[in-house]
Amino acid sequence: MSLTYSRYLKLDELLSLQQPLSGGSDGPEHDETLFIVIHQVYELWFKQVLHELDHLSELFDGSVDPPNAPSRILATLRRILTILKTMVAQIDILETMTPISFGSFRSRLETASGFQSPQFRELEFVLGLRRKDMLSYHLENPAAHQRLLRRLREPTLYQRFLRYLVRAGHEIPARVLEPYEDGQPPSSAILRRTLIGIYRGDDRLTQMCERLVDFDEGLQEWRYRHVKMVERTLGGKPGTGRSAGVAMLRKTLFQPLFPDLWAIRTEL
């Protein structure tokens, strides 16, 4: 049997995964299919972003060290940024769904919530936004729980970048390279001086820093658009899965992944 487009992409299996829970004499609610497709697509993009971040980590670590490593690093960051822009644009599609149309099937979601996405939590852990208590939400999924635990024990992407700077001969305080399982990336005056020196004297490393800032800004943009979409759809109602809804999501805004790269702007 020859390989075909459908067999290669397993289209029959893929297209059978959209199974609305709403029903009745008139069939499923129309917008539930859109809701499922959008969130499945988000999970596929999360998978690809994690794949790219793992490759970026290898490049920063030197575990793969092609002659054009700096160019590969920049190319990988550009790809991630392009994916983030696509993820933000998908919110425009979700916002075509009115509060009433979402309400027509919302009760069927029961305790399910995007808050439970193991891949998005992986993404946060890789990027340095870490809360060990989040592991408790994934005990029923042992494979996901193990992935998250492994991510918590690994250096963050930013720490891998800082180690890359150490190998390039730059002074980085040991404190910011220490592992942590709770909290946000630590900040350091010594590190900021080093970064200012890079911006004033190393164009290639400056480009890497700027792409990391773009990444940080892109993720914050996605969070903001997501919060406004939820507010537009739910208002002040509790979120699905008995979460606090918009009030909880607002707390995730304006948390920089790379605080020192923002802090140095005043001194450049």
Side-chain angles (χ1 to χ4, degrees), residues 201-213:
D202 192 318
D203 182 62
R204 181 54 65 94
L205 288 178
T206 297
Q207 289 182 55
M208 291 183 193
C209 290
E210 286 295 282
R211 295 298 77 75
L212 288 171
V213 172

Side-chain angles (χ1 to χ4, degrees), residues 112-124:
S113 169
F115 185 73
Q116 299 159 344
S117 168
Q119 286 199 121
F120 188 72
R121 199 64 63 194
E122 267 193 86
L123 188 59
E124 287 190 320

Side-chain angles (χ1 to χ4, degrees), residues 164-236:
Y164 180 82
L165 296 184
V166 170
R167 292 199 303 278
H170 294 282
E171 180 186 8
I172 304 296
R175 180 177 67 84
V176 300
L177 301 176
E178 294 174 357
Y180 64 96
E181 295 185 351
D182 276 294
Q184 295 178 258
S187 184
S188 163
I190 297 173
L191 174 55
R192 289 195 291 275
R193 288 199 298 270
T194 295
L195 292 171
I196 289 169
I198 287 171
Y199 268 76
R200 290 175 176 166
D202 192 318
D203 182 62
R204 181 54 65 94
L205 288 178
T206 297
Q207 289 182 55
M208 291 183 193
C209 290
E210 286 295 282
R211 295 298 77 75
L212 288 171
V213 172
D214 288 339
F215 182 13
D216 197 339
E217 186 175 0
L219 189 63
Q220 291 189 58
E221 180 186 5
W222 182 82
R223 284 189 186 276
Y224 175 78
R225 286 295 310 277
H226 180 247
V227 169
K228 298 308 291 183
M229 181 272 295
V230 172
E231 185 175 17
R232 178 174 178 157
T233 306
L234 293 181

Side-chain angles (χ1 to χ4, degrees), residues 14-15 17-20 30-47 83 85-97 102 105 114 117 119 222 225-226 229-230 233:
L14 178 65
L15 298 178
L17 297 176
Q18 296 73 48
Q19 300 178 15
H30 178 76
D31 279 358
E32 190 177 1
T33 298
L34 171 66
F35 185 82
I36 293 171
V37 168
I38 286 285
H39 287 84
Q40 287 180 342
V41 170
Y42 268 129
E43 290 296 332
L44 289 172
W45 281 131
F46 293 159
K47 180 176 182 176
I83 293 171
K85 289 182 183 298
T86 301
M87 288 168 56
V88 170
Q90 285 183 190
I91 292 176
D92 291 335
I93 304 172
L94 262 181
E95 287 183 338
T96 66
M97 186 169 58
F102 179 54
F105 63 86
S117 168
Q119 286 199 121
W222 182 82
R225 286 295 310 277
H226 180 247
M229 181 272 295
V230 172
T233 306

